[in-house]
Amino acid sequence: MIKSIRPKNFDWIMFPVICIILAIGILFIWSASSEKFLYKQLVWTLGGLVLFFILLYFDYISFACYAYVIYVSVLLLLMLLLILGGTIKGSQRWFSLGSFSFQPSEFMKITLILVLARFLRYKKYGLGLLDIVIAILLTLIPMVLIMKQPDLGTALVLVPILFSILYAAGIRLFYLLLLIGSGFALAPLFWIYLLKSYQKLRIIGFLWPDKAEDWGAGYHRLQSLIAVGSGGLTGSGWGNGIQNRMKFLPERHTDFIFAVIAEEWGFLRACFLLLLYLVFIACGIGIAGSTRDPFGRLVVVGLVTMFVTQIVVNIGMNLGIAPIVGMTLPFVSYGGSSMLTSFIALSIIFNIKMRAKIDLASRHFYDIQ
Amino acid sequence: MSPFRFKVVFMVFLLFFLCIVVRLFQLQIIESDKYRGISKTRRIHTYPLEAVRGSIFDRNGTVLAVDQHAFDLSVKYKNLLYSYIVHRKKEISRISELEIHKKTKEACIECHKEEDVWLENVSEALSIPKKDLLDNSEQVIMKVERLKRIVERRNGRSILVKEETDFHPVVFDVSLEKIISVDVKKEDFPGVRVNPRPKRIYPQQRLASHILGYMGKLTDEEWKMHSDRWNDFILNASLSDMSEDSSSLLYDGYAKDDCVGRFGVELYYEEELRGLRGKRFEEITCVNTEIKKVVLERPPLQGNNLYLTIDSQIQACSEEALGKHLGAIIVMDTWTGEILSMASNPDFNPNTINNDFQELSTLSSKPFLNRAIQGALPPGSIFKIITAISALSDQSIDTRSSFVCQGFTNYKNIIFRCWSQYGHGLITLQDAIPYSCNVFFFETAKSLKQENFYLWSKKFGIGEKTGIDIPYEKEGNMPKLKTTAMTMNVAIGQGALLTTPLQCVRIYAALANGGTLVYPHVLLKFTDSRGGTIQAFRPENKNKVVLSPAVLDIIRNSLQDVVIRGTAKNMGLEVYKVAGKTGTAETGKKGVNHAWFAGYVPYDKPRYSFVILIEHTSGHGGEVAGPIARKLMTALFPEIEQSS
C-alpha cells in the first residue's frame, strides 16, 4: 500500500525560505563568475526543483525497504570510481557520462542516512554495543572509500551524521562520549594512511596559521578573511567587492561564495542569510520532533545534520575558524551534484512531513519485516 | 525518543550558528578597518626570484651547459600607453571618448611628459630604435585593451583589469653591460623594471646533445605533478621538524612557466641541477601601483654543478668518426664503466631546439633517438662469443670440436646459410670466431643446452637495462628459446634477439676485465656553487660473471685474431692492439644490414671498451665499421698515431 501525500501538510515556511536562499546564491554566482556559470547554475536549480516535486510523489517508506540495496550499490559505485574514475583536479570524484558528470560520494551522504535510520529505527530500549559497532562500520566503509578519492569534506560530513542519528536513536550518553573519545584516539591513523599531502597542508595551515602563511598554504584563508573583513557593516555593494573582482579570492563561486556575500553585502545581510538557514534548520528539527514514524524521524535528523554540518563548516572556513576542506554551501554554492543532493534531501524531509502524520507507520512497512 | 534530545540537538546547532555570528561580528565590525585597509590600498605581491641552474662540465672541466643571465626590460602599462598615444598619434578609443581628454589634449601631452621619458632613454641607452620599442608596445597595448573591452562588455561598466597595473616586457635579451647602465640610473627610467631570467646555453653546440638533453617548458600536467611533489616535500620537512624553522620551507617549487630538463642528464639529474627558487615580497599600493617597500626577500639557491665522465675530445672524435652514418659509438672505461664518449647520429642542437623541434621531430631518421641506449637491434655476429662461452662452459664443444662448413647447413629442411657461400671448410672455434663462420655456430647451437644458453645471455645482461644514468634506456630482448631452429638463429645474433650498443660494450668490457659486468654511467661528481664535491659516483655492487680462465683465454685469443687475420684484418687496427668482433645483422631487406664492431683496446692491458654501430648500410661489419674504428683509435691513442 502506498500512502498518498497530503498537500495541506506542505511546509509553507520552509519552502519560501529555501527559495530566497536559492535566489541569493544565484545572485552571487553572477557576481563572482562569468555568465556561463550563472546559466549552468540556473539549469541545475530548475532541474533540482523539478526533481524535488517528482520525488514527493514517491512514498519515502520505499526508501526504507530498499535502503540496504541502495547502500550496497552506491558503495560499489564508489569502489568502481576508485578503479576507473576520471581525474578532475587530481582526484577521482566524478563519473563522466558524456557531458554529464556526477559524484557518487554526494549521494553516499543521503544513502548512509537512510541505511542508518533503517538499521536503528526500533532500538527503543537503548542501543546495544553491537548495534553501535555495526552503525560505525556502516559509516566507516564509505568514509574510507571517499577519503581515498580524496574528498575530505564529504567524508567528514558522515561523522556528525552518525553521531546525531545515534543520539536521536537513544544511545546512552556514556557510549556517545566513549565514541567521541575513541574517534580522537584514531585520528592519527587517518592522518597517516588516508590524507593526501595537500589536505595535511591545509589542516596544518588551519592549526598553525602563522607557519602556514610562510609557505602559501594560508593564502586561501588570508584572502577570505580580507574579503569578509573589508565587507564591514553594510558591504561594498553587489558586484563591487575588490577581493572578488580582482580575483584575489580563489574558488569564488564554490567553496568561498560566502566570503563574496560577506564582502559585498556586509554584516547585516550576511546575518540575514544565516537567519534564513536557521529558520530552515528549526523547521527541520520541528518536523523530526513531530514525526511519529521512527524511521522518518531518524532520517530527518540525519538530513538536517548534514545540512548544518555543510553550512557550519563552509562558513567556518570562510571565516577562518574551520580547516579548508572542499565543502559546498547548500543551495548557494555553484555545482550540480551538490545542488541535486540538497534538493533530494529537501524532498525527503518534505515527503516525511507530508506523509508521516497519517498514521503511526505504514502497515505495508511492517508486512515486509 | 524523548523530545528533550531534539531540543539538545537544536541547541547544539544554535550554538554553532552563534559562533559564526560572533566571528562574523569580530571580522566585519571590530576588525573591519584592518581588513578594509588591506583590501583597498595595500597589497602584497610576490615575485619569484629565479635560481641559477647548475652547470654541466665534462671530466676535464670543459663547459657543456651553463646558465647565462638574460635580461628583459618591462615597462609599466600606463607608460607604454602614453608613449604610444603621443608618438603614434593614434587614439585609444576608450581614452578619446573621455570628454576631459579632448579638451586638454595638448596640455595632456605636457603633463604626462614624465610617463614618456622611458622611451627616449631606453632607446638611447640600449641603442634600440624607438620604432621597435613602439612596435612592441603596440602589441602589448592591443592585447590588454582587447581584454579590457571584453571584461567591460561582460560587466556593463568600466573596470580596472589587473593587466593595466602590471609591467609588460618590451625589450628582450639585453646584455649584462647594457643592463647595468640602466640599473644604476634607475631614476632616468621611470616605470621600467629589469627582469633577470636565466637562459640555458650549450657552448659546444651539438656536442653530446643526446647525453646532455635540453630544456623545455613544463606542460600543465607536469606542473601539477611537480607541485604535488613539492607539497609532499614541504609537508615532510615541516612534519619532521615542526618546532624549528626548516630552511627548505623558505623556497618555492616550480612555477607555471618553468623550464625543466627534457632529455639526457638535464632530465635525469633535474633535482640536483635545478636549485631552489627564491621569492620577493613587495607591498604595493593600489592607487598607482608604485612599489612602496620590499618587505622580505628570500634569495634563490643555485643548483649543483654536474661533472660528466665524458671526455669532450674523445666525444668530438667519435662524432666525427661516425660522420654522416646513422648509428652510434660508445667508448667506455673497461674497469669502471665510465662513459668517455657516446655519439649518436643524427643529433640536434640543444641551443636552437625550441625553434627546430617541430621540424626535427618529423624526420624519419629520428634525431632525438639516442641510438647508443635506445637503438635495440639484432647484434649479429658480435653475439657469437656468448654462444661460444655458453657452449664451452657446458661442454657442448671444446677447442678440438670441428665442423665442416660448406656455406650452409640444414635442420629439418630449413637451410641455414653461412655469410660466405663458398664455405670455410673444416673449422674449429679458434677459426670460427675470427672468420665469423655461421655454420660452426649453427652446428654448436644444435647441441647446446637451451636453458643454459638463455641463462648465459641473461648473465651478460641481454634483454635487461644496464641502469645507465640517462633516461629512456631500452632493454632490448632475449627471446625464450623454444625450438632448435630458433636457438640456431639466436646463436649467430639474429632472430628475435635485440641488444642495445650499450649492452654490447658492457659485454666486451666484461671479457676484457675478467667477467665484471660494470655499471655504465656518465656521472663523475656533483659540486656545489663554490666548487666543493658533494657527491661522487658510487657504483652499486657489480655483477660478476664467473668465467673459467681457460674459456676466457680462448675467447680473448680469437678476438685478437679477428684483427690480425680475421674479418677486421688490414684495417690498421693491430697497431693499437685492438681485440674485437665484427658483426653484420640482417634487416630483412636485401643488401641493407646493420654493421657492428665491438671490442676492447689494447688487448694486453685493456683500457677502453668500445662499440660501433652503423645502421642500414650496404657493407659488412668489417668493411663499414672497421675504418670508423681506425679513426676512433687515432683519437684514443694520439701518441701511437704519431710514432707509426
Short mmCIF file of all heavy atoms in Angstrom, two decimals, chain A residues 322-349:
data_model
loop_
_atom_site.label_atom_id
_atom_site.label_comp_id
_atom_site.label_asym_id
_atom_site.label_seq_id
_atom_site.Cartn_x
_atom_site.Cartn_y
_atom_site.Cartn_z
N ALA A 322 37.55 27.20 10.57
CA ALA A 322 37.49 25.77 10.28
C ALA A 322 38.54 25.49 9.22
O ALA A 322 38.85 26.36 8.41
CB ALA A 322 36.10 25.40 9.77
N PRO A 323 39.12 24.29 9.21
CA PRO A 323 40.11 23.99 8.18
C PRO A 323 39.48 24.01 6.79
O PRO A 323 38.28 23.76 6.65
CB PRO A 323 40.60 22.59 8.55
CG PRO A 323 39.58 22.03 9.45
CD PRO A 323 38.90 23.16 10.13
N ILE A 324 40.30 24.30 5.81
CA ILE A 324 39.77 24.42 4.45
C ILE A 324 39.67 23.05 3.81
O ILE A 324 40.67 22.46 3.41
CB ILE A 324 40.63 25.38 3.63
CG1 ILE A 324 40.50 26.77 4.22
CG2 ILE A 324 40.20 25.38 2.17
CD1 ILE A 324 41.40 27.79 3.62
N VAL A 325 38.45 22.53 3.82
CA VAL A 325 38.19 21.27 3.11
C VAL A 325 37.14 21.59 2.07
O VAL A 325 36.36 22.51 2.26
CB VAL A 325 37.66 20.19 4.08
CG1 VAL A 325 38.75 19.74 5.01
CG2 VAL A 325 36.48 20.70 4.87
N GLY A 326 37.14 20.90 0.98
CA GLY A 326 36.16 21.20 -0.06
C GLY A 326 34.76 20.88 0.43
O GLY A 326 34.43 19.72 0.60
N MET A 327 33.97 21.91 0.72
CA MET A 327 32.60 21.65 1.14
C MET A 327 31.72 22.77 0.64
O MET A 327 32.08 23.94 0.74
CB MET A 327 32.53 21.55 2.66
CG MET A 327 31.33 20.78 3.12
SD MET A 327 31.29 20.57 4.88
CE MET A 327 32.46 19.29 5.15
N THR A 328 30.58 22.41 0.08
CA THR A 328 29.74 23.43 -0.54
C THR A 328 28.74 23.99 0.46
O THR A 328 28.39 23.33 1.44
CB THR A 328 28.98 22.83 -1.73
OG1 THR A 328 28.32 21.65 -1.29
CG2 THR A 328 29.91 22.50 -2.86
N LEU A 329 28.27 25.19 0.18
CA LEU A 329 27.22 25.82 0.98
C LEU A 329 25.89 25.43 0.33
O LEU A 329 25.63 25.79 -0.80
CB LEU A 329 27.43 27.34 0.97
CG LEU A 329 26.59 28.17 1.93
CD1 LEU A 329 26.81 27.74 3.36
CD2 LEU A 329 26.94 29.65 1.79
N PRO A 330 25.04 24.70 1.06
CA PRO A 330 23.83 24.16 0.41
C PRO A 330 22.96 25.23 -0.22
O PRO A 330 22.74 26.27 0.39
CB PRO A 330 23.09 23.47 1.56
CG PRO A 330 24.10 23.26 2.62
CD PRO A 330 25.13 24.32 2.47
N PHE A 331 22.50 24.98 -1.40
CA PHE A 331 21.60 25.84 -2.19
C PHE A 331 22.24 27.15 -2.63
O PHE A 331 21.60 27.98 -3.24
CB PHE A 331 20.31 26.16 -1.41
CG PHE A 331 19.53 24.93 -1.05
CD1 PHE A 331 19.40 24.55 0.28
CD2 PHE A 331 18.94 24.16 -2.03
CE1 PHE A 331 18.69 23.42 0.62
CE2 PHE A 331 18.21 23.03 -1.69
CZ PHE A 331 18.10 22.65 -0.37
N VAL A 332 23.52 27.36 -2.32
CA VAL A 332 24.17 28.62 -2.70
C VAL A 332 25.37 28.39 -3.60
O VAL A 332 25.48 28.97 -4.67
CB VAL A 332 24.60 29.43 -1.45
CG1 VAL A 332 25.42 30.63 -1.85
CG2 VAL A 332 23.37 29.87 -0.67
N SER A 333 26.29 27.50 -3.19
CA SER A 333 27.50 27.26 -3.99
C SER A 333 27.15 26.76 -5.39
O SER A 333 26.13 26.09 -5.58
CB SER A 333 28.36 26.19 -3.32
OG SER A 333 28.94 26.69 -2.16
N TYR A 334 28.05 27.06 -6.32
CA TYR A 334 27.87 26.54 -7.66
C TYR A 334 28.17 25.04 -7.68
O TYR A 334 29.08 24.58 -7.01
CB TYR A 334 28.84 27.25 -8.62
CG TYR A 334 28.86 26.64 -9.98
CD1 TYR A 334 27.86 26.94 -10.90
CD2 TYR A 334 29.82 25.71 -10.33
CE1 TYR A 334 27.85 26.36 -12.14
CE2 TYR A 334 29.82 25.11 -11.57
CZ TYR A 334 28.83 25.44 -12.47
OH TYR A 334 28.82 24.85 -13.69
N GLY A 335 27.41 24.29 -8.44
CA GLY A 335 27.73 22.86 -8.60
C GLY A 335 26.50 22.00 -8.72
O GLY A 335 25.52 22.14 -7.98
N GLY A 336 26.50 21.12 -9.69
CA GLY A 336 25.34 20.29 -10.00
C GLY A 336 25.07 19.21 -8.98
O GLY A 336 23.95 19.12 -8.44
N SER A 337 26.08 18.42 -8.67
CA SER A 337 25.88 17.29 -7.75
C SER A 337 25.41 17.79 -6.39
O SER A 337 24.49 17.25 -5.80
CB SER A 337 27.18 16.52 -7.58
OG SER A 337 27.47 15.81 -8.74
N SER A 338 26.05 18.88 -5.94
CA SER A 338 25.69 19.43 -4.64
C SER A 338 24.25 19.91 -4.64
O SER A 338 23.48 19.65 -3.71
CB SER A 338 26.65 20.59 -4.34
OG SER A 338 26.10 21.44 -3.39
N MET A 339 23.88 20.60 -5.72
CA MET A 339 22.52 21.13 -5.81
C MET A 339 21.50 19.99 -5.82
O MET A 339 20.50 20.02 -5.10
CB MET A 339 22.42 21.97 -7.09
CG MET A 339 21.18 22.82 -7.20
SD MET A 339 20.94 23.93 -5.82
CE MET A 339 21.75 25.40 -6.39
N LEU A 340 21.75 18.99 -6.64
CA LEU A 340 20.80 17.87 -6.74
C LEU A 340 20.69 17.15 -5.40
O LEU A 340 19.60 16.82 -4.96
CB LEU A 340 21.23 16.90 -7.84
CG LEU A 340 21.10 17.44 -9.26
CD1 LEU A 340 21.39 16.35 -10.27
CD2 LEU A 340 19.70 17.99 -9.50
N THR A 341 21.83 16.89 -4.74
CA THR A 341 21.80 16.21 -3.45
C THR A 341 20.97 17.00 -2.45
O THR A 341 20.15 16.44 -1.73
CB THR A 341 23.22 16.06 -2.89
OG1 THR A 341 24.06 15.62 -3.94
CG2 THR A 341 23.26 15.07 -1.76
N SER A 342 21.21 18.33 -2.43
CA SER A 342 20.46 19.16 -1.50
C SER A 342 18.96 19.06 -1.76
O SER A 342 18.16 18.96 -0.83
CB SER A 342 20.90 20.61 -1.62
OG SER A 342 22.26 20.72 -1.34
N PHE A 343 18.58 19.08 -3.03
CA PHE A 343 17.15 19.01 -3.35
C PHE A 343 16.57 17.64 -3.02
O PHE A 343 15.43 17.54 -2.57
CB PHE A 343 16.91 19.34 -4.83
CG PHE A 343 16.65 20.79 -5.06
CD1 PHE A 343 17.54 21.57 -5.77
CD2 PHE A 343 15.52 21.39 -4.53
CE1 PHE A 343 17.30 22.92 -5.97
CE2 PHE A 343 15.28 22.74 -4.72
CZ PHE A 343 16.18 23.50 -5.44
N ILE A 344 17.35 16.58 -3.25
CA ILE A 344 16.84 15.25 -2.90
C ILE A 344 16.62 15.19 -1.39
O ILE A 344 15.57 14.73 -0.91
CB ILE A 344 17.85 14.15 -3.34
CG1 ILE A 344 17.90 14.09 -4.87
CG2 ILE A 344 17.44 12.80 -2.78
CD1 ILE A 344 19.01 13.21 -5.40
N ALA A 345 17.59 15.69 -0.63
CA ALA A 345 17.47 15.68 0.83
C ALA A 345 16.25 16.48 1.26
O ALA A 345 15.45 16.04 2.10
CB ALA A 345 18.73 16.26 1.46
N LEU A 346 16.08 17.67 0.66
CA LEU A 346 14.94 18.52 0.99
C LEU A 346 13.64 17.80 0.70
O LEU A 346 12.69 17.82 1.50
CB LEU A 346 15.03 19.81 0.17
CG LEU A 346 14.08 20.92 0.58
CD1 LEU A 346 14.49 21.46 1.94
CD2 LEU A 346 14.06 22.03 -0.45
N SER A 347 13.63 17.14 -0.45
CA SER A 347 12.41 16.45 -0.88
C SER A 347 12.05 15.34 0.12
O SER A 347 10.88 15.14 0.44
CB SER A 347 12.63 15.87 -2.27
OG SER A 347 11.46 15.28 -2.72
N ILE A 348 13.05 14.64 0.63
CA ILE A 348 12.77 13.57 1.60
C ILE A 348 12.19 14.16 2.88
O ILE A 348 11.23 13.63 3.46
CB ILE A 348 14.05 12.76 1.89
CG1 ILE A 348 14.50 12.04 0.61
CG2 ILE A 348 13.79 11.74 2.98
CD1 ILE A 348 15.83 11.33 0.75
N ILE A 349 12.73 15.30 3.31
CA ILE A 349 12.21 15.94 4.52
C ILE A 349 10.73 16.31 4.33
O ILE A 349 9.87 16.01 5.15
CB ILE A 349 13.03 17.20 4.87
CG1 ILE A 349 14.46 16.80 5.24
CG2 ILE A 349 12.38 17.96 6.02
CD1 ILE A 349 15.37 17.99 5.52
#
